Amino acid sequence: SAVISQKPSRDICQRGTSLTIQCQVDSQVTMMFWYRQQPGQSLTLIATANQGSEATYESGFVIDKFPISRPNLTFSTLTVSNMSPEDSSIYLCSVDLTSSEQFFGPGTRLTVL
Amino acid sequence: QKEVEQNSGPLSVPEGAIASLNCTYSDRGSQSFFWYRQYSGKSPELIMSIYSNGDKEDGRFTAQLNKASQYVSLLIRDSQPSDSATYLCAGLSNSNSGYALNFGKGTSLLVTP
């Protein structure tokens, strides 16, 4: 597995503002993923972030709302833009190490007021 | 729609018993399946992966896959109170990103002393 950290671990934000979440891995990985887990729900993939290319977004998610950066093989950021209370969720990054097995970071718990 | 279905539970079993968790999936193209354990307030932890029909054992855990029936299960032998958690089943499917994990909503397991 890998050691994955996320910052911040939690935040409370006002509607209309933006929050950038950081994900750091202790080894170089090709693929990093960003998920959302809404209260009482399962995980939904937002986008895949590959180093050196634009992130690929899943249906229902757009770059203007969730811009992603992937400057190197150990780091990625997800920004939640122009937040509304519906964006209150846990945001998780994950990495794919081998055989499509994904390992998750500790998550960022976001509350939007 | 590529769906992974799980009974939400809670599934209650006494300590020392076998817990049986089940999952069905709709995407016949899915070839790889994963079981994650998620404790309350924590991120998902990978416990088993299975890629071919049949059983795969790892310690107290056995994963079973039946592609003809589109069915995946997880057996936990000698269940312990520390096994009490939500268990998420996930299947790997094609997506905008190339591939993505589709998660079920999870089954809550309670192991009673």
Side-chain angles (χ1 to χ4, degrees):
Chain A
S1 62
V3 177
I4 307 168
S5 60
Q6 286 185 235
K7 290 182 181 180
S9 58
R10 60 178 62 230
D11 207 342
I12 300 173
C13 300
Q14 296 297 318
R15 69 172 66 211
T17 63
S18 297
L19 175 71
T20 295
I21 302 168
Q22 299 178 6
C23 180
Q24 180 78 51
V25 190
D26 70 342
S27 58
Q28 294 185 338
V29 295
T30 302
M31 300 186 76
M32 295 180 75
F33 305 85
W34 287 98
Y35 288 82
R36 180 174 72 182
Q37 187 172 29
Q38 294 179 304
Q41 300 297 313
S42 192
L43 285 79
T44 302
L45 179 63
I46 297 171
T48 300
N50 293 332
Q51 194 267 337
S53 63
E54 294 287 326
T56 304
Y57 291 82
E58 296 301 306
S59 178
F61 298 96
V62 295
I63 187 171
D64 290 347
K65 176 67 175 178
F66 297 102
I68 287 170
S69 78
R70 182 79 197 275
N72 57 53
L73 292 173
T74 63
F75 186 79
S76 179
T77 67
L78 169 75
T79 299
V80 186
S81 303
N82 188 26
M83 288 184 285
S84 66
E86 292 71 34
D87 294 319
S88 297
S89 186
I90 299 173
Y91 292 86
L92 297 130
C93 68
S94 73
V95 301
D96 182 340
L97 294 182
T98 179
S99 300
S100 303
E101 294 181 343
Q102 290 188 24
F103 297 88
F104 286 86
T108 296
R109 184 179 295 272
L110 171 62
T111 301
V112 184
L113 303 178
Chain B
Q1 189 79 347
K2 299 171 183 174
E3 296 192 346
V4 175
E5 300 286 344
Q6 295 181 257
N7 189 319
S8 62
L11 173 66
S12 182
V13 300
E15 183 174 358
I18 296 174
S20 178
L21 304 162
N22 305 313
C23 166
T24 59
Y25 61 94
S26 63
D27 181 11
R28 284 199 171 273
S30 292
Q31 296 296 313
S32 305
F33 298 89
F34 307 89
W35 283 99
Y36 287 83
R37 177 176 62 197
Q38 187 172 27
Y39 292 113
S40 180
K42 301 295 185 182
S43 64
E45 172 192 8
L46 180 65
I47 54 173
M48 288 288 286
S49 58
I50 187 164
Y51 306 104
S52 56
N53 280 329
D55 295 359
K56 179 182 178 183
E57 185 174 322
D58 184 0
R60 295 187 297 114
F61 299 101
T62 298
Q64 300 173 318
L65 174 59
N66 184 325
K67 293 184 180 179
S69 301
Q70 296 177 250
Y71 179 89
V72 192
S73 66
L74 179 70
L75 301 178
I76 306 175
R77 290 180 298 281
D78 188 23
S79 296
Q80 301 297 309
S82 59
D83 294 325
S84 298
T86 296
Y87 289 79
L88 302 171
C89 174
L92 197 67
S93 295
N94 292 332
S95 76
N96 292 348
S97 310
Y99 65 90
L101 284 179
N102 290 310
F103 282 86
K105 292 186 176 181
T107 298
S108 175
L109 173 65
L110 177 63
V111 181
T112 56

PDB file of all heavy atoms in Angstrom, chain A residues 109, chain B residues 38-42 84-86:
ATOM      1  N   ARG A 109     -13.517  16.267   5.311  1.00  0.00           N
ATOM      2  CA  ARG A 109     -14.939  16.451   5.618  1.00  0.00           C
ATOM      3  C   ARG A 109     -15.280  17.923   5.449  1.00  0.00           C
ATOM      4  O   ARG A 109     -14.778  18.776   6.186  1.00  0.00           O
ATOM      5  CB  ARG A 109     -15.250  15.976   7.030  1.00  0.00           C
ATOM      6  CG  ARG A 109     -16.733  16.052   7.399  1.00  0.00           C
ATOM      7  CD  ARG A 109     -16.937  15.535   8.825  1.00  0.00           C
ATOM      8  NE  ARG A 109     -16.617  14.130   8.946  1.00  0.00           N
ATOM      9  CZ  ARG A 109     -17.462  13.133   8.737  1.00  0.00           C
ATOM     10  NH1 ARG A 109     -18.706  13.409   8.388  1.00  0.00           N
ATOM     11  NH2 ARG A 109     -17.078  11.882   8.891  1.00  0.00           N
TER      12      ARG A 109
ATOM     13  N   GLN B  38     -15.211   0.054   5.926  1.00  0.00           N
ATOM     14  CA  GLN B  38     -15.211   1.453   6.309  1.00  0.00           C
ATOM     15  C   GLN B  38     -15.779   1.596   7.713  1.00  0.00           C
ATOM     16  O   GLN B  38     -16.965   1.367   7.942  1.00  0.00           O
ATOM     17  CB  GLN B  38     -16.013   2.311   5.321  1.00  0.00           C
ATOM     18  CG  GLN B  38     -15.886   3.805   5.588  1.00  0.00           C
ATOM     19  CD  GLN B  38     -16.528   4.660   4.500  1.00  0.00           C
ATOM     20  OE1 GLN B  38     -17.463   4.243   3.816  1.00  0.00           O
ATOM     21  NE2 GLN B  38     -16.024   5.882   4.340  1.00  0.00           N
ATOM     22  N   TYR B  39     -14.920   1.974   8.630  1.00  0.00           N
ATOM     23  CA  TYR B  39     -15.367   2.284   9.978  1.00  0.00           C
ATOM     24  C   TYR B  39     -15.976   3.684   9.974  1.00  0.00           C
ATOM     25  O   TYR B  39     -15.607   4.535   9.149  1.00  0.00           O
ATOM     26  CB  TYR B  39     -14.208   2.221  10.966  1.00  0.00           C
ATOM     27  CG  TYR B  39     -13.659   0.832  11.189  1.00  0.00           C
ATOM     28  CD1 TYR B  39     -12.377   0.484  10.770  1.00  0.00           C
ATOM     29  CD2 TYR B  39     -14.406  -0.140  11.847  1.00  0.00           C
ATOM     30  CE1 TYR B  39     -11.859  -0.785  10.975  1.00  0.00           C
ATOM     31  CE2 TYR B  39     -13.906  -1.420  12.055  1.00  0.00           C
ATOM     32  CZ  TYR B  39     -12.631  -1.728  11.614  1.00  0.00           C
ATOM     33  OH  TYR B  39     -12.129  -2.993  11.822  1.00  0.00           O
ATOM     34  N   SER B  40     -16.888   3.907  10.890  1.00  0.00           N
ATOM     35  CA  SER B  40     -17.570   5.194  10.975  1.00  0.00           C
ATOM     36  C   SER B  40     -16.566   6.346  11.109  1.00  0.00           C
ATOM     37  O   SER B  40     -15.681   6.309  11.969  1.00  0.00           O
ATOM     38  CB  SER B  40     -18.525   5.200  12.162  1.00  0.00           C
ATOM     39  OG  SER B  40     -19.196   6.434  12.261  1.00  0.00           O
ATOM     40  N   GLY B  41     -16.676   7.315  10.235  1.00  0.00           N
ATOM     41  CA  GLY B  41     -15.793   8.476  10.280  1.00  0.00           C
ATOM     42  C   GLY B  41     -14.427   8.260   9.664  1.00  0.00           C
ATOM     43  O   GLY B  41     -13.582   9.151   9.711  1.00  0.00           O
ATOM     44  N   LYS B  42     -14.221   7.084   9.084  1.00  0.00           N
ATOM     45  CA  LYS B  42     -12.927   6.771   8.475  1.00  0.00           C
ATOM     46  C   LYS B  42     -13.085   6.539   6.978  1.00  0.00           C
ATOM     47  O   LYS B  42     -14.185   6.430   6.471  1.00  0.00           O
ATOM     48  CB  LYS B  42     -12.327   5.524   9.131  1.00  0.00           C
ATOM     49  CG  LYS B  42     -12.108   5.640  10.629  1.00  0.00           C
ATOM     50  CD  LYS B  42     -11.064   6.692  10.952  1.00  0.00           C
ATOM     51  CE  LYS B  42     -10.753   6.714  12.440  1.00  0.00           C
ATOM     52  NZ  LYS B  42      -9.751   7.773  12.778  1.00  0.00           N
ATOM     53  N   SER B  84     -17.101  -4.979  13.212  1.00  0.00           N
ATOM     54  CA  SER B  84     -18.285  -4.142  13.056  1.00  0.00           C
ATOM     55  C   SER B  84     -17.914  -2.891  12.265  1.00  0.00           C
ATOM     56  O   SER B  84     -17.080  -2.079  12.690  1.00  0.00           O
ATOM     57  CB  SER B  84     -18.850  -3.756  14.421  1.00  0.00           C
ATOM     58  OG  SER B  84     -19.252  -4.905  15.144  1.00  0.00           O
ATOM     59  N   ALA B  85     -18.519  -2.752  11.087  1.00  0.00           N
ATOM     60  CA  ALA B  85     -18.182  -1.671  10.163  1.00  0.00           C
ATOM     61  C   ALA B  85     -19.148  -1.755   8.989  1.00  0.00           C
ATOM     62  O   ALA B  85     -19.995  -2.652   8.925  1.00  0.00           O
ATOM     63  CB  ALA B  85     -16.733  -1.806   9.660  1.00  0.00           C
ATOM     64  N   THR B  86     -19.006  -0.845   8.057  1.00  0.00           N
ATOM     65  CA  THR B  86     -19.736  -0.932   6.796  1.00  0.00           C
ATOM     66  C   THR B  86     -18.814  -1.538   5.751  1.00  0.00           C
ATOM     67  O   THR B  86     -17.660  -1.112   5.620  1.00  0.00           O
ATOM     68  CB  THR B  86     -20.225   0.457   6.342  1.00  0.00           C
ATOM     69  OG1 THR B  86     -21.161   0.957   7.290  1.00  0.00           O
ATOM     70  CG2 THR B  86     -20.908   0.366   4.978  1.00  0.00           C
TER      71      THR B  86
END
